[in-house]
Amino acid sequence: MPSMTMIQALNSALADKLADDADVLIFGEDVGYFGGVFRVTAGLQERFGLQRCFDAPIAESGIIATAIGMGAYGLRPVPEIQFADYILPAYDQLVSEAARLRYRSSGEFTAPITVRSPYGGGIFGGQTHSQSPEAIFAHITGLKTVIPSTPYDAKGLLIAAIEDDDPVIFLEPKRLYNGPFDGRPDQQVPGWHGHPAAEVPEGLYRIPLGKAATVREGEAATVLAYGTMVHVALSAIEECGIDAELIDLRSIVPLDIDAIVASVQKTGRCVILHEASRFGGFGGELSALVQERCFYHLEAPVERVCGWDTPYPHAFEWDYFPGPARLIKALRRVTGEA
Amino acid sequence: MRSRYKYAVSNAPVLRPNRLPLRLHIPEPVARPGEAAHFGNLALAEAGAVARPDIDTVEADVRHLPYTLIRVLDDDGHAVGPWAPGLDAEQLIAGLAAMLRTRIFDDRLFRAHRQGKTSFYMKCTGEEAIAVAQSMALGRNDMCFPTYRMLGWLMARDYPLDALVNQIFSNAADPLAGRQLPILYSARDYGFYSLSGNLGSRFGHAVGWAMASAYRGDEGIALGMVGDGTTAEGDFHEALTFAAVYRAPVILCVTNNQWAISSFTGIAGAETATFAAKALAYGIPGLRVDGNDFLAVWAATQWAAERARANLGSTLIEFVTYRVAGHSTSDDPTQYRPKDEADHWPLGDPVDRLKAHLIAIGVWDEERHAALTKQLDDEVKAAVKAAEAVGTLGASKPPVGEMFECVFKDADWRIDEQRTELGL
């Protein structure tokens, strides 16, 4: 089985869907001849032709509007928004149109589109190339939001997203594109090669949306994470030696509530980890759900370890980033080891 | 308080010789309530005066069209000039009937709102020619991305009247199951895309739809519609960019009815330029058309459709018309425009003009017109009565479980739990 980086796995998913379904097409800024600024669409235009993978004007709202029209027609467009920070001009299209079209037309028109976009920091991208906007999509009913953490998951989830009949926001943790970054910027990041989840099959396979993965079983506490933070959490757990269970949500809508509840009821403790700023972040929703469903099992307050409530700060990137040290402190607090 | 700056800034104007102080310009219409209404600023042209270019004429040779006005029907009811579409009497009478049905329906349902039978209504009085002529000029495989003043599209395709009224009443037979505001219809089988209250956001969908049809090598084209006010939205310009870049088989239209709620066209940027002229910068043809002239609307739509079908790309059409009624049932236009402004509108009434044309060509008379009006009135009355039998707003509604349908194709646990929480 070939070993792939996350970029190669995403590229493989797109290539396999282009080959599989003539209704799939890709467009976005710089995705055509050039193959995308992160190379996720590299070679697809050459292999599948101009009409299957082409450049779009720098107009994110227009890109999503066009994709919705294509989706309503019956195609399965996979538009790329170059950075998740640039998705905001298209927010009205996603909220007022993609998420509402099925509802308001009683299913006469739908928007089966998959919006791919790299998110997250850790690349010295400053405030316009680093944000994690997942919460603003999770809040919008009618949208699904998927965030992979490994090459294997990235391919299986992207294929499932493209085949899904509802609009999907597919956020790609750009810090994981080339290796399982664990939140330690002072250390060399290993590449994906050799990582078990970098073994990616050729051909189509699906990971159902809404199914979390238990990355590490444990008894002492539950850590809920997705995207880049899955690797940060694993590294932190290994460093501190606390026997925590690590759940990779993989998609936040639909959310695998059963996996969350089962784990927290078992461990009695919960730490939520995300890179987005804390106030109003998705961690608040997770915390509320855990409180509502696991209150009598909880031995300690639910903790959130998140980015600070500031814009993404360029020079202070690693002071902002919720790295292993902060998670370890939180794990020690909830387990009473502090 | 002392200035932080070494050199304090004085508020007193210090003007260089021969320079006027800058002045902020706020556009104002020619007349407000109590003032004399007129449309002296509206550039017109004689019926038949504008040449009709071949559809494959290069854009560079049609750049004069946004600044003239394509008209076919003259003041005597004759169809004149190269744009006359050559329709037969049957088509013309069908068009008249659809326009009349629209107007009668609007009047009756507006009254139904005043009687408390629904929460909201919007009329298209004075604009009926646009939707009806376009509906008839385009084909069954084409898709209209409408504004909320395009009831005529459905009327021209014989959409069932009682289904419209059921939607307006949000009653148990509402085809949209109580989930959408009155008149924001969706009718895929009739080539009518799902409406929403914000108009610009679907202009780009029309372009995407058209691109999809071209991508598949199909035959259908798309028709995108916005009003004059919406041309200021970024959505409008992004849609035009995509339409031009990919030569999408789409007709993009601006219904310029002079008013965006209470804002006149100058606020949307048309104090000196026309809306059709927006096409110039995108390198696509822009037509400015008499929107109260059924034949001109038909002809312009057909010209743009032929170009789209020949892979020659998109066209922007401005239909010049007048919003005779208020913006909606929540609006009172006498608050911001002269009460009698409609009487001064120079392009007349679209129903009267098509009727005069039918009489002029000898296929129509007052007697037949009165009979048709009576027949349509009866049809509308019967539809309203049938819908009232199901129930008006509040007296009847779809099962409340419909609230939870169609959020996703398959509901997730949140929807399931909340349905249970509501006791369903």
Side-chain angles (χ1 to χ4, degrees):
Chain A
M1 195 180 292
S3 175
M4 295 190 196
T5 66
M6 189 181 284
I7 290 171
Q8 290 166 334
L10 291 163
N11 183 273
S12 171
L14 293 170
D16 288 349
K17 278 311 294 180
L18 285 168
D20 168 64
D21 183 353
D23 286 337
V24 172
L25 77 169
I26 294 163
F27 61 107
E29 295 156 19
D30 303 303
V31 305
Y33 184 87
F34 177 57
V37 296
F38 289 104
R39 322 300 305 144
V40 173
T41 57
L44 297 180
Q45 185 179 81
E46 188 182 18
R47 185 170 157 200
F48 294 97
L50 267 177
Q51 297 208 346
R52 305 297 303 281
C53 179
F54 55 87
D55 289 336
I58 303 172
E60 290 79 12
S61 182
I63 289 171
I64 301 303
T66 307
I68 294 169
M70 292 175 174
Y73 190 89
L75 304 185
R76 290 192 180 268
V78 189
E80 176 183 302
I81 301 296
Q82 197 164 76
F83 285 85
D85 313 75
Y86 305 161
I87 213 165
L88 298 177
Y91 196 53
D92 181 50
Q93 281 297 328
L94 293 167
V95 175
S96 307
E97 296 294 341
R100 304 284 151 78
L101 190 55
R102 176 190 296 280
Y103 192 76
R104 70 167 193 248
S105 71
S106 268
E108 279 196 338
F109 298 94
T110 60
I113 69 172
T114 301
V115 183
R116 289 183 40 251
S117 193
Y119 86 97
I123 62 157
F124 279 110
Q127 57 183 263
T128 51
H129 307 85
S130 305
Q131 294 171 86
S132 300
E134 68 275 10
I136 65 173
F137 301 115
H139 184 61
I140 302 304
T141 195
L143 296 179
K144 297 183 177 179
T145 302
V146 177
I147 309 173
S149 69
T150 67
Y152 180 83
D153 282 3
K155 180 170 178 181
L157 288 168
L158 181 55
I159 290 166
I162 294 169
E163 294 176 353
D164 197 277
D165 289 328
D166 285 306
V168 179
I169 311 296
F170 193 89
L171 295 174
E172 299 168 1
K174 68 173 90 72
R175 198 64 178 80
L176 299 183
Y177 270 156
N178 287 307
F181 174 71
D182 62 3
R184 299 170 194 276
D186 50 334
Q187 292 176 17
Q188 180 79 26
V189 183
W192 279 110
H193 188 66
H195 191 287
E199 300 295 309
V200 178
E202 302 280 8
L204 295 170
Y205 66 93
R206 291 116 189 132
I207 296 175
L209 309 185
K211 286 280 173 218
T214 304
V215 178
R216 181 191 190 280
E217 291 190 2
E219 302 294 330
T222 298
V223 176
L224 303 178
Y226 44 86
T228 311
M229 291 300 131
V230 171
H231 301 277
V232 173
L234 191 59
S235 167
I237 292 166
E238 284 169 358
E239 180 186 329
C240 70
I242 293 173
D243 182 28
E245 183 148 293
L246 173 57
I247 302 211
D248 175 0
L249 297 177
R250 300 203 284 202
S251 64
I252 60 172
V253 177
L255 182 68
D256 192 345
I257 189 66
D258 295 340
I260 295 169
V261 168
S263 177
V264 177
Q265 288 192 348
K266 179 179 78 172
T267 65
R269 295 170 165 87
C270 181
V271 179
I272 297 155
L273 181 62
H274 64 57
E275 192 180 340
S277 51
R278 179 154 57 192
F279 192 90
F282 192 67
E285 181 61 39
L286 290 172
S287 176
L289 287 166
V290 167
Q291 183 273 131
E292 286 163 2
R293 286 153 202 258
C294 309
F295 184 81
Y296 295 105
H297 293 80
L298 285 174
E299 307 282 347
V302 176
E303 288 251 4
R304 286 178 289 164
V305 177
C306 312
W308 306 122
D309 287 311
T310 68
Y312 215 102
H314 182 249
F316 312 113
E317 185 153 71
W318 301 115
D319 304 288
Y320 173 94
F321 191 90
R326 286 176 55 200
L327 178 59
I328 289 170
K329 278 188 199 166
L331 281 171
R332 290 199 169 126
R333 279 194 300 271
V334 299
T335 55
E337 291 184 20
Chain B
M1 197 170 74
R2 289 179 62 185
S3 168
R4 295 172 56 202
Y5 301 100
K6 190 174 172 189
Y7 301 104
V9 178
S10 164
N11 284 330
V14 181
L15 296 179
R16 294 182 196 178
N18 304 323
R19 282 208 185 168
L20 293 170
L22 294 172
R23 190 180 63 225
L24 178 64
H25 173 65
I26 311 291
E28 267 293 288
V30 294
R32 288 295 192 185
E35 297 173 342
H38 71 89
F39 287 93
N41 294 348
L42 194 73
L44 302 174
E46 291 298 316
V50 180
R52 184 185 187 277
D54 292 336
I55 59 157
D56 57 356
T57 306
V58 294
E59 182 272 338
D61 292 340
V62 296
R63 289 184 186 156
H64 58 290
L65 290 175
Y67 282 100
T68 182
L69 188 69
I70 295 167
R71 306 178 67 189
V72 172
L73 287 172
D74 68 12
D75 292 344
D76 301 321
H78 295 295
V80 296
W83 288 88
L87 306 178
D88 61 32
E90 194 183 339
Q91 289 170 303
L92 294 169
I93 292 168
L96 182 73
M99 285 162 65
L100 261 178
R101 190 188 288 121
T102 305
R103 184 165 295 182
I104 291 166
F105 186 92
D106 268 354
D107 286 341
R108 187 157 293 273
L109 271 294
F110 186 88
R111 285 205 301 278
H113 169 266
R114 294 301 192 231
Q115 293 160 351
K117 292 174 184 169
T118 185
S119 56
F120 184 74
Y121 197 75
M122 299 177 96
K123 298 170 78 173
C124 44
T125 313
E127 304 176 32
E128 295 92 341
I130 299 166
V132 170
Q134 290 188 319
S135 183
M136 295 177 70
L138 294 179
R140 289 281 159 175
N141 293 328
D142 303 326
M143 183 60 69
C144 172
F145 293 72
T147 70
Y148 37 61
R149 281 187 230 286
M150 293 193 69
L151 174 61
W153 178 281
L154 294 172
M155 293 298 190
R157 295 183 177 207
D158 288 322
Y159 187 87
L161 296 182
D162 54 343
L164 293 173
V165 187
N166 289 330
Q167 197 279 330
I168 291 162
F169 288 169
S170 291
N171 66 19
D174 173 1
L176 300 183
R179 288 189 286 262
Q180 180 61 303
L181 192 70
I183 80 151
L184 300 183
Y185 315 112
S186 176
R188 186 168 188 138
D189 292 344
Y190 294 78
F192 193 88
Y193 190 72
S194 164
L195 256 169
S196 168
N198 37 357
L199 291 185
S201 53
R202 286 168 321 288
F203 217 42
H205 299 195
V207 178
W209 183 283
M211 287 171 68
S213 183
Y215 170 84
R216 276 206 187 148
D218 292 344
E219 292 179 351
I221 63 171
L223 173 74
M225 305 294 294
V226 292
D228 44 281
T230 305
T231 61
E233 289 276 8
D235 285 332
F236 173 80
H237 298 277
E238 295 192 18
L240 278 164
T241 297
F242 279 71
V245 166
Y246 301 109
R247 282 189 207 161
V250 61
I251 309 170
L252 294 170
C253 304
V254 179
T255 299
N256 172 9
N257 66 11
Q258 313 303 315
W259 291 98
I261 305 186
S262 73
S263 300
F264 86 116
T265 54
I267 295 294
E271 208 171 22
T272 54
T274 69
F275 292 108
K278 307 278 182 190
L280 294 170
Y282 296 98
I284 63 172
L287 309 181
R288 186 166 172 269
V289 177
D290 180 348
N292 288 15
D293 178 339
F294 181 85
L295 298 180
V297 174
W298 186 303
T301 304
Q302 197 170 44
W303 187 84
E306 284 172 17
R307 291 189 73 254
R309 293 189 209 287
N311 283 311
L312 294 167
S314 57
T315 303
L316 179 68
I317 308 178
E318 172 187 354
F319 292 110
V320 180
T321 183
Y322 182 76
R323 195 195 76 205
V324 173
H327 170 71
S328 72
T329 43
S330 308
D331 182 39
D332 172 11
T334 64
Q335 299 291 311
Y336 50 79
R337 68 185 190 190
K339 209 174 206 165
D340 64 344
E341 194 182 68
D343 301 335
H344 298 267
W345 177 244
L347 297 175
D349 177 81
V351 176
D352 292 348
R353 286 175 68 190
L354 184 56
K355 176 187 165 195
H357 175 60
L358 284 164
I359 292 172
I361 61 173
V363 298
W364 201 242
D365 54 41
E366 291 293 349
E367 199 175 314
R368 273 182 274 191
H369 194 80
L372 175 64
T373 305
K374 168 83 170 55
Q375 177 206 325
L376 296 172
D377 199 44
D378 290 346
E379 283 175 22
V380 171
K381 258 189 225 162
V384 172
K385 206 168 173 186
E388 283 175 352
V390 180
T392 56
L393 179 69
S396 158
K397 66 178 179 186
V400 69
E402 287 290 350
M403 176 166 67
F404 295 107
E405 298 296 328
C406 292
V407 179
F408 294 99
K409 185 181 181 198
D410 300 308
D412 66 27
W413 57 269
R414 298 173 295 167
I415 306 287
D416 291 339
E417 286 188 1
Q418 289 163 22
R419 198 197 307 263
T420 305
E421 192 176 335
L422 192 61
L424 301 175

